[in-house]
Amino acid sequence: MSRAELAEAAQSLPYGWVEDESNEDPSYDRNFLRQQIIPLLKDRWPASPRRPAPRLSASSRVSS
């Protein structure tokens, strides 16, 4: 589901779409990946599957 589809679906909920301002901060690893790395990967391999994120997020977890 795309971000636009999520935002549209959220409009039917009582609170609508709520944007977390930390999502724009590239000092967070998740945002650095979204804003810098993933666009490069998409440019390099445009025919790749659209949804590699579940595998990426599962493999990037750090145990404490």
Side-chain angles (χ1 to χ4, degrees), residues 32-45:
F32 176 76
L33 288 169
R34 263 190 234 126
Q35 296 168 11
Q36 304 291 323
I37 303 302
I38 292 173
L40 291 173
L41 295 173
K42 287 180 177 180
D43 287 345
R44 175 77 170 136
W45 294 285

